[in-house]
Protein backbone atom coordinates (compact mmCIF):
# COMPACT_ATOMS: atom_id res chain seq x y z
CA UNK A 1 0.00 0.00 0.00
CA UNK A 2 1.36 3.40 -0.97
CA UNK A 3 2.01 6.02 1.68
CA UNK A 4 0.69 9.57 1.40
CA UNK A 5 3.98 10.87 -0.02
CA UNK A 6 3.91 8.29 -2.82
CA UNK A 7 0.26 9.12 -3.51
CA UNK A 8 1.20 12.78 -3.73
CA UNK A 9 3.97 12.08 -6.27
CA UNK A 10 1.56 10.01 -8.35
CA UNK A 11 -1.00 12.82 -8.36
CA UNK A 12 1.49 15.32 -9.76
CA UNK A 13 3.51 13.12 -12.11
CA UNK A 14 1.08 13.81 -14.94
CA UNK A 15 0.47 17.42 -13.92
CA UNK A 16 3.90 18.88 -13.28
CA UNK A 17 4.64 19.48 -16.95
CA UNK A 18 1.51 21.65 -17.12
CA UNK A 19 2.67 23.84 -14.23
CA UNK A 20 4.68 26.99 -14.94
CA UNK A 21 3.91 29.03 -11.82
CA UNK A 22 4.25 27.95 -8.18
CA UNK A 23 2.65 30.16 -5.54
CA UNK A 24 3.88 29.79 -1.95
CA UNK A 25 2.41 30.94 1.32
CA UNK A 26 5.04 32.62 3.53
CA UNK A 27 4.39 32.13 7.27
CA UNK A 28 4.43 28.51 8.48
CA UNK A 29 5.38 27.35 4.96
CA UNK A 30 8.75 28.92 4.14
CA UNK A 31 9.32 31.26 7.07
CA UNK A 32 9.26 29.48 10.45
CA UNK A 33 6.74 31.73 12.18
CA UNK A 34 6.54 29.73 15.41
CA UNK A 35 10.29 29.67 16.03
CA UNK A 36 10.76 33.33 15.14
CA UNK A 37 7.74 34.37 17.19
CA UNK A 38 9.16 32.72 20.31
CA UNK A 39 12.42 34.61 19.87
CA UNK A 40 10.64 37.94 19.42
CA UNK A 41 8.49 37.48 22.52
CA UNK A 42 11.49 36.25 24.50
CA UNK A 43 13.33 39.47 23.66
CA UNK A 44 10.38 41.60 24.76
CA UNK A 45 9.68 39.73 27.99
CA UNK A 46 13.32 39.48 29.07
CA UNK A 47 13.68 43.22 28.64
CA UNK A 48 10.39 44.62 29.92
CA UNK A 49 8.24 41.85 31.46
CA UNK A 50 10.55 39.45 33.33
CA UNK A 51 7.57 38.04 35.24
CA UNK A 52 6.29 36.43 32.03
CA UNK A 53 7.49 32.93 31.25
CA UNK A 54 7.80 32.85 27.46
CA UNK A 55 7.25 29.11 27.14
CA UNK A 56 4.05 29.20 29.19
CA UNK A 57 2.81 32.28 27.31
CA UNK A 58 3.48 30.69 23.89
CA UNK A 59 1.55 27.53 24.81
CA UNK A 60 -1.57 29.67 25.03
CA UNK A 61 -0.66 32.27 22.40
CA UNK A 62 -0.25 29.82 19.50
CA UNK A 63 -3.85 28.47 19.45
CA UNK A 64 -5.28 31.89 20.34
CA UNK A 65 -3.34 33.54 17.52
CA UNK A 66 -4.49 30.86 15.07
CA UNK A 67 -8.12 31.37 16.09
CA UNK A 68 -7.79 35.14 15.70
CA UNK A 69 -6.21 34.76 12.25
CA UNK A 70 -9.08 32.56 11.10
CA UNK A 71 -11.48 35.33 12.09
CA UNK A 72 -9.29 37.94 10.42
CA UNK A 73 -9.16 35.93 7.18
CA UNK A 74 -12.94 36.14 6.81
CA UNK A 75 -13.10 39.79 7.96
CA UNK A 76 -14.79 38.89 11.25
CA UNK A 77 -12.25 41.05 13.11
CA UNK A 78 -10.05 43.94 12.04
CA UNK A 79 -6.26 44.19 11.88
CA UNK A 80 -6.29 46.19 15.13
CA UNK A 81 -8.60 43.72 16.88
CA UNK A 82 -6.37 40.83 15.85
CA UNK A 83 -3.27 42.45 17.28
CA UNK A 84 -5.08 43.33 20.55
CA UNK A 85 -7.11 40.17 21.16
CA UNK A 86 -4.34 37.66 20.59
CA UNK A 87 -2.29 39.32 23.33
CA UNK A 88 -5.10 40.20 25.73
CA UNK A 89 -6.54 36.67 25.63
CA UNK A 90 -3.10 35.09 26.04
CA UNK A 91 -2.26 37.12 29.14
CA UNK A 92 -5.67 36.35 30.60
CA UNK A 93 -5.02 32.64 30.00
CA UNK A 94 -1.87 32.78 32.15
CA UNK A 95 -3.54 35.02 34.78
CA UNK A 96 -1.32 38.06 34.30
CA UNK A 97 -3.01 41.46 34.53
CA UNK A 98 -1.87 43.84 31.84
CA UNK A 99 -3.05 47.26 30.76
CA UNK A 100 -4.19 48.21 27.28
CA UNK A 101 -1.22 50.57 27.04
CA UNK A 102 1.15 47.69 27.79
CA UNK A 103 -0.59 45.50 25.21
CA UNK A 104 -0.20 48.25 22.63
CA UNK A 105 3.50 48.54 23.44
CA UNK A 106 4.09 44.78 23.26
CA UNK A 107 2.19 44.63 19.99
CA UNK A 108 4.34 47.38 18.47
CA UNK A 109 7.56 45.82 19.75
CA UNK A 110 6.54 42.39 18.50
CA UNK A 111 5.87 43.67 14.98
CA UNK A 112 9.16 45.58 15.08
CA UNK A 113 11.29 42.70 16.38
CA UNK A 114 9.69 39.78 14.52
CA UNK A 115 11.48 40.34 11.17
CA UNK A 116 14.84 40.41 12.98
CA UNK A 117 14.58 36.64 13.47
CA UNK A 118 14.59 34.77 10.21
CA UNK A 119 14.63 31.03 10.67
CA UNK A 120 13.28 29.24 7.61
CA UNK A 121 11.95 25.72 7.36
CA UNK A 122 14.59 23.11 6.66
CA UNK A 123 15.80 23.02 3.04
CA UNK A 124 13.79 26.11 2.08
CA UNK A 125 16.56 27.92 0.20
CA UNK A 126 17.88 24.76 -1.42
CA UNK A 127 14.43 23.82 -2.69
CA UNK A 128 13.70 27.33 -3.94
CA UNK A 129 17.00 27.40 -5.84
CA UNK A 130 16.07 24.09 -7.46
CA UNK A 131 12.56 25.23 -8.39
CA UNK A 132 13.62 28.68 -9.62
CA UNK A 133 15.50 27.10 -12.54
CA UNK A 134 12.33 25.30 -13.62
CA UNK A 135 9.34 27.47 -12.69
CA UNK A 136 8.34 31.04 -11.94
CA UNK A 137 7.90 31.38 -8.19
CA UNK A 138 5.55 33.71 -6.33
CA UNK A 139 4.30 34.43 -2.81
CA UNK A 140 0.71 35.01 -1.68
CA UNK A 141 0.45 36.05 1.97
CA UNK A 142 -2.23 37.35 4.33
CA UNK A 143 0.39 38.89 6.58
CA UNK A 144 0.72 42.62 7.11
CA UNK A 145 2.57 44.15 4.16
CA UNK A 146 5.26 46.09 6.02
CA UNK A 147 6.24 43.11 8.17
CA UNK A 148 6.08 40.56 5.34
CA UNK A 149 8.38 42.52 3.06
CA UNK A 150 10.91 42.84 5.89
CA UNK A 151 10.74 39.10 6.57
CA UNK A 152 11.28 38.30 2.91
CA UNK A 153 14.21 40.69 2.57
CA UNK A 154 15.91 39.82 5.87
CA UNK A 155 15.66 36.06 5.31
CA UNK A 156 17.11 36.38 1.78
CA UNK A 157 14.00 34.96 0.11
CA UNK A 158 13.44 37.89 -2.23
CA UNK A 159 15.72 36.80 -5.14
CA UNK A 160 13.74 33.59 -5.65
CA UNK A 161 10.36 35.20 -6.31
CA UNK A 162 9.07 36.99 -9.37
CA UNK A 163 6.04 38.49 -7.61
CA UNK A 164 4.82 38.97 -4.05
CA UNK A 165 1.13 39.48 -3.36
CA UNK A 166 -0.15 40.45 0.08
CA UNK A 167 -3.70 40.90 1.25
CA UNK A 168 -3.36 44.65 1.69
CA UNK A 169 -2.45 45.26 -1.95
CA UNK A 170 -5.11 42.81 -3.18
CA UNK A 171 -7.86 44.21 -0.96
CA UNK A 172 -8.81 40.69 0.18
CA UNK A 173 -7.36 37.80 2.13
CA UNK A 174 -7.02 34.12 1.33
CA UNK A 175 -9.33 32.21 0.89
CA UNK A 176 -11.14 35.03 -0.94
CA UNK A 177 -10.82 34.43 -4.71
CA UNK A 178 -9.98 38.11 -5.21
CA UNK A 179 -6.47 37.70 -3.81
CA UNK A 180 -5.80 34.63 -5.96
CA UNK A 181 -6.96 36.46 -9.08
CA UNK A 182 -4.82 39.47 -8.15
CA UNK A 183 -1.79 37.20 -7.76
CA UNK A 184 -2.40 35.47 -11.10
CA UNK A 185 -2.85 38.79 -12.89
CA UNK A 186 0.34 40.14 -11.37
CA UNK A 187 2.22 36.99 -12.36
CA UNK A 188 0.63 36.89 -15.82
CA UNK A 189 -0.33 33.29 -15.06
CA UNK A 190 -3.36 31.18 -15.89
CA UNK A 191 -5.24 28.89 -13.51
CA UNK A 192 -4.33 25.73 -15.43
CA UNK A 193 -0.59 26.36 -15.16
CA UNK A 194 -0.55 27.35 -11.48
CA UNK A 195 -0.36 25.62 -8.12
CA UNK A 196 -0.61 26.92 -4.53
CA UNK A 197 1.52 25.48 -1.72
CA UNK A 198 0.71 26.37 1.87
CA UNK A 199 0.13 25.19 5.42
CA UNK A 200 -3.45 26.42 5.90
CA UNK A 201 -6.11 24.00 4.76
CA UNK A 202 -8.77 26.72 4.70
CA UNK A 203 -6.82 29.69 3.33
CA UNK A 204 -4.28 28.05 1.03
CA UNK A 205 -5.65 24.69 -0.07
CA UNK A 206 -9.43 25.01 -0.07
CA UNK A 207 -9.14 28.64 -1.12
CA UNK A 208 -7.00 27.73 -4.13
CA UNK A 209 -9.09 24.70 -5.10
CA UNK A 210 -12.33 26.68 -4.89
CA UNK A 211 -10.72 29.36 -7.06
CA UNK A 212 -9.81 26.74 -9.64
CA UNK A 213 -6.08 26.16 -9.27
CA UNK A 214 -4.21 23.13 -8.02
CA UNK A 215 -3.08 23.02 -4.40
CA UNK A 216 -0.55 21.15 -2.28
CA UNK A 217 -0.82 21.05 1.52
CA UNK A 218 2.39 21.59 3.49
CA UNK A 219 1.86 19.43 6.54
CA UNK A 220 5.01 19.26 8.71
CA UNK A 221 2.94 18.47 11.81
CA UNK A 222 1.34 15.51 10.01
CA UNK A 223 -2.23 16.60 10.68
CA UNK A 224 -4.66 13.90 9.59
CA UNK A 225 -6.41 14.99 6.40
CA UNK A 226 -8.31 13.42 3.53
CA UNK A 227 -6.19 11.33 1.17
CA UNK A 228 -7.80 13.25 -1.67
CA UNK A 229 -5.66 16.28 -0.74
CA UNK A 230 -2.05 16.01 -1.98
CA UNK A 231 0.38 16.81 0.81
CA UNK A 232 4.05 16.97 1.75
CA UNK A 233 5.58 16.93 5.21
CA UNK A 234 8.94 18.45 4.20
CA UNK A 235 9.93 21.07 1.66
CA UNK A 236 12.62 18.74 0.35
CA UNK A 237 9.85 16.51 -1.01
CA UNK A 238 9.13 19.15 -3.65
CA UNK A 239 12.32 18.19 -5.48
CA UNK A 240 10.90 14.73 -6.07
CA UNK A 241 7.52 16.05 -7.18
CA UNK A 242 8.69 18.83 -9.48
Amino acid sequence: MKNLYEICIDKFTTLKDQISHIFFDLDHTLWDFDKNSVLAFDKIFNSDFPQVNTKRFIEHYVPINQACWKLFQVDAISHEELRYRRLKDSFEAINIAISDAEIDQISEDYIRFLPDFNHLFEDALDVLAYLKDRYELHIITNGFAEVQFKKIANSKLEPYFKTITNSEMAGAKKPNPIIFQHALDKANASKTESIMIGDSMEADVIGALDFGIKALFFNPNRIEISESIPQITTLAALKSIF
Side-chain angles (χ1 to χ4, degrees):
M1 183 175 178
K2 293 183 177 181
N3 60 36
L4 289 177
Y5 173 64
E6 291 170 328
I7 293 171
C8 180
I9 292 178
D10 286 348
K11 283 180 180 291
F12 283 100
T13 296
T14 58
L15 293 175
K16 67 178 183 179
D17 291 337
Q18 302 171 19
I19 295 170
S20 300
H21 298 268
I22 301 178
F23 293 83
F24 281 92
D25 176 48
L26 180 62
D27 293 334
H28 303 286
T29 300
L30 297 171
W31 198 83
D32 194 335
F33 183 92
D34 289 340
K35 183 178 290 187
N36 296 320
S37 185
V38 169
L39 294 170
F41 277 123
D42 209 35
K43 180 175 180 177
I44 294 168
F45 296 155
N46 285 342
S47 173
D48 300 321
F49 298 89
Q51 74 275 27
V52 179
N53 179 284
T54 303
K55 183 176 183 296
R56 182 165 175 253
F57 175 86
I58 289 293
E59 287 174 354
H60 295 277
Y61 175 81
V62 168
I64 289 171
N65 184 48
Q66 289 173 346
C68 287
W69 269 99
K70 287 183 178 181
L71 293 173
F72 179 67
Q73 285 168 359
V74 296
D75 297 319
I77 60 173
S78 68
H79 175 178
E80 292 74 19
E81 288 172 320
L82 164 68
R83 291 176 60 173
Y84 176 82
R85 283 179 54 174
R86 65 185 181 183
L87 292 175
K88 180 68 171 178
D89 292 354
S90 296
F91 280 110
E92 286 183 353
I94 59 175
N95 297 313
I96 290 182
I98 189 164
S99 69
D100 286 352
E102 288 173 319
I103 287 177
D104 288 342
Q105 185 59 56
I106 293 171
S107 181
E108 290 298 322
D109 289 342
Y110 177 71
I111 295 299
R112 181 160 53 94
F113 294 146
L114 190 59
D116 293 341
F117 302 100
N118 288 284
H119 292 279
L120 301 175
F121 277 93
E122 187 175 3
D123 299 315
L125 296 182
D126 176 64
V127 168
L128 291 174
Y130 168 85
L131 293 173
K132 189 175 185 293
D133 291 337
R134 295 161 174 79
Y135 304 89
E136 291 189 2
L137 307 182
H138 315 273
I139 285 176
I140 309 178
T141 173
N142 282 351
F144 309 133
E146 180 183 0
V147 180
Q148 299 304 76
F149 281 118
K150 287 180 181 178
K151 291 176 184 176
I152 291 166
N154 292 350
S155 59
K156 305 188 187 324
L157 288 171
E158 193 170 11
Y160 298 98
F161 294 96
K162 183 178 180 182
T163 69
I164 298 167
T165 296
N166 65 67
S167 55
E168 291 179 38
M169 68 171 63
K173 312 173 197 71
K174 295 176 292 182
N176 192 308
I178 291 174
I179 190 171
F180 290 104
Q181 187 63 61
H182 183 97
L184 261 62
D185 291 343
K186 189 173 182 180
N188 194 26
S190 69
K191 290 183 179 182
T192 57
E193 62 182 355
S194 301
I195 186 170
M196 179 74 205
I197 300 173
D199 73 289
S200 171
M201 181 61 70
E202 295 86 358
D204 299 315
V205 177
I206 295 175
L209 293 174
D210 285 348
F211 175 66
I213 64 176
K214 292 173 278 292
L216 181 58
F217 183 48
F218 178 54
N219 189 14
N221 295 322
R222 300 178 184 272
I223 301 167
E224 187 173 344
I225 63 169
S226 168
E227 290 188 6
S228 65
I229 301 294
Q231 65 169 300
I232 54 171
T233 57
T234 67
L235 293 176
L238 292 174
K239 294 174 73 172
S240 298
I241 295 171
F242 296 106

